[in-house]
Amino acid sequence: MEYWKKKIYLSRYWKEEIRPKVYEKSNGICFFCGKLILKRWTCHHKIELTEQNYMIEEIAFGLDNLVLCHSDCHNQHHKRFGFKASIVENDLEINYGRRKV
C-alpha cells in the first residue's frame, strides 16, 4: 500500500471515527446496490483519494465524500477482480442494470 494511503486507512481516526460514522449515516445500506450490508463492507470516496489530494480533510475524511458499500460493489465500481463495467456512471448516477445479482 502506498505511503499516502497508509496515512489515511491505517489511522486510528479513520478506523475508530470515520468508518463507523459512514456506516451509521448509511444505515447499513450499500450506496451502489441499495441492499442491506450483512458482511464485508467498505467506504468509497466519491472524489477519488489520490496522492495529490489525500491531505485535504474534506476529501479524505469528509462524510459528504464517503459512502458505504459492499466490498464486491466497490470492486465492481473500480473494475477489479474480473468486473468489466462499473455500476456507476461518471456523474455517480447508478445504473442498476449493470449490478450483478
Side-chain angles (χ1 to χ4, degrees):
M1 180 184 302
E2 295 92 340
Y3 77 92
W4 54 273
K5 286 183 180 179
K6 287 181 183 178
K7 293 242 184 211
I8 303 300
Y9 299 128
L10 300 181
S11 72
R12 173 178 273 168
Y13 183 59
W14 175 261
K15 292 177 183 178
E16 296 178 7
E17 298 286 330
I18 299 303
R19 279 180 52 90
K21 285 181 181 175
V22 172
Y23 190 91
E24 183 179 316
K25 83 168 182 151
S26 303
N27 294 316
I29 303 297
C30 177
F31 172 77
F32 294 118
C33 71
K35 295 179 182 174
L36 181 64
I37 298 174
L38 301 175
K39 59 181 179 177
R40 297 201 53 216
W41 60 275
T42 192
C43 297
H44 171 70
H45 287 87
K46 293 190 280 186
I47 298 172
E48 187 174 353
L49 195 63
T50 67
E51 188 172 9
Q52 290 72 39
N53 68 18
Y54 81 96
M55 292 182 68
I56 301 171
E57 182 86 13
E58 297 81 26
I59 293 175
F61 299 114
L63 295 179
D64 289 338
N65 190 44
L66 292 163
V67 294
L68 182 74
C69 59
H70 289 101
S71 293
D72 281 348
C73 290
H74 193 240
N75 289 331
Q76 181 177 354
H77 172 66
H78 289 291
K79 301 175 188 168
R80 297 183 201 145
F81 309 116
F83 288 108
K84 304 289 185 214
S86 175
I87 190 172
V88 178
E89 306 294 341
N90 289 335
D91 58 0
L92 288 181
E93 290 296 317
I94 298 175
N95 180 344
Y96 290 105
R98 292 187 184 168
R99 176 76 174 104
K100 290 189 176 184
V101 182

